[in-house]
Amino acid sequence: MQKHQGSGNSSEMHRYNAQVAGGPPSMPKQKNNTIAIIVSFVLLAVTMAYVLYEPAEPEVVAPKVEKPEEKIVLKPVAGSIVMTDPLWLNPPEDINMVEVEDMVVKFKMTNHNAYPVTGITVRFSFFDISGVDLKGAQKITFDDVIEASAEINFEDVVVGEYPSETIRVKGKVVSVVAAQ
């Protein structure tokens, strides 16, 4: 007779294999990930190389062009120079004078610009006793520099010959240039 193991009070241990529904137990097999690891490493290496060592773009050397200095062009208007009425310093003693001499005047000019000016052209007009404008006006250009908001006196300015009927002289600034 055979003795059946596992029956009775024996102190032997029995070994039981766990059974999974659907078949015998299976152990997961190790997969071969060698190719995936190599491909991942290559992609990582290429990405890092691109990020760390970007290829240098060829340097384009443009011809050096010097920028011209910007010049601020100031164009003062004649009205920015205020001129006092000329004072006739050598009027004739007799209105019926025969000999005409050069007229000498004095006056002041004030620069109402925020910069110095020069090349001030003044038109001197002559008027008779009735206030009629006599022909023969003179234009004189003064090269003196008048600083910003400054005043300058002009004394003993020779205007030149004037018509013999002249009683009064007026001056008007007709042009002005900004000083450089």
Side-chain angles (χ1 to χ4, degrees):
M1 270 207 179
Q2 292 184 343
K3 280 190 169 180
H4 186 265
Q5 293 178 336
S7 58
N9 285 337
S10 93
S11 59
E12 292 180 31
M13 290 224 271
H14 297 297
R15 180 180 214 148
Y16 295 99
N17 284 331
Q19 293 288 327
V20 178
S26 66
M27 296 290 282
K29 293 181 181 178
Q30 266 195 323
K31 294 182 181 177
N32 189 356
N33 292 333
T34 309
I35 293 176
I37 292 172
I38 291 173
V39 169
S40 297
F41 179 74
V42 169
L43 287 174
L44 180 64
V46 169
T47 304
M48 292 303 292
Y50 181 76
V51 169
L52 296 176
Y53 305 104
E54 287 185 31
E57 293 182 16
E59 187 175 328
V60 178
V61 178
K64 187 175 182 180
V65 177
E66 289 192 25
K67 199 174 181 183
E69 288 183 27
E70 290 184 28
K71 288 187 178 182
I72 298 173
V73 178
L74 301 173
K75 294 184 178 181
V77 294
S80 65
I81 306 300
V82 176
M83 178 180 169
T84 61
D85 287 332
L87 177 61
W88 190 356
L89 297 177
N90 64 337
E93 294 175 15
D94 183 11
I95 195 165
N96 297 322
M97 66 179 187
V98 177
E99 190 175 314
V100 177
E101 57 184 84
D102 287 340
M103 178 183 280
V104 179
V105 295
K106 77 175 191 174
F107 53 91
K108 292 180 186 180
M109 280 195 265
T110 305
N111 178 9
H112 288 283
N113 293 294
Y115 47 85
V117 295
T118 188
I120 304 164
T121 302
V122 177
R123 181 178 185 262
F124 291 97
S125 302
F126 310 109
F127 298 88
D128 67 8
I129 196 165
S130 312
V132 175
D133 186 4
L134 302 171
K135 304 298 178 204
Q138 304 284 339
K139 284 186 182 177
I140 299 176
T141 301
F142 299 93
D143 292 327
D144 300 67
V145 174
I146 305 176
E147 295 298 323
S149 301
E151 183 177 87
I152 189 169
N153 292 320
F154 291 90
E155 296 188 14
D156 298 328
V157 176
V158 177
V159 176
E161 283 190 21
Y162 54 92
S164 60
E165 301 85 28
T166 301
I167 295 296
R168 192 175 84 196
V169 62
K170 286 187 180 180
K172 180 180 179 183
V173 177
V174 291
S175 69
V176 62
V177 178
Q180 299 298 330

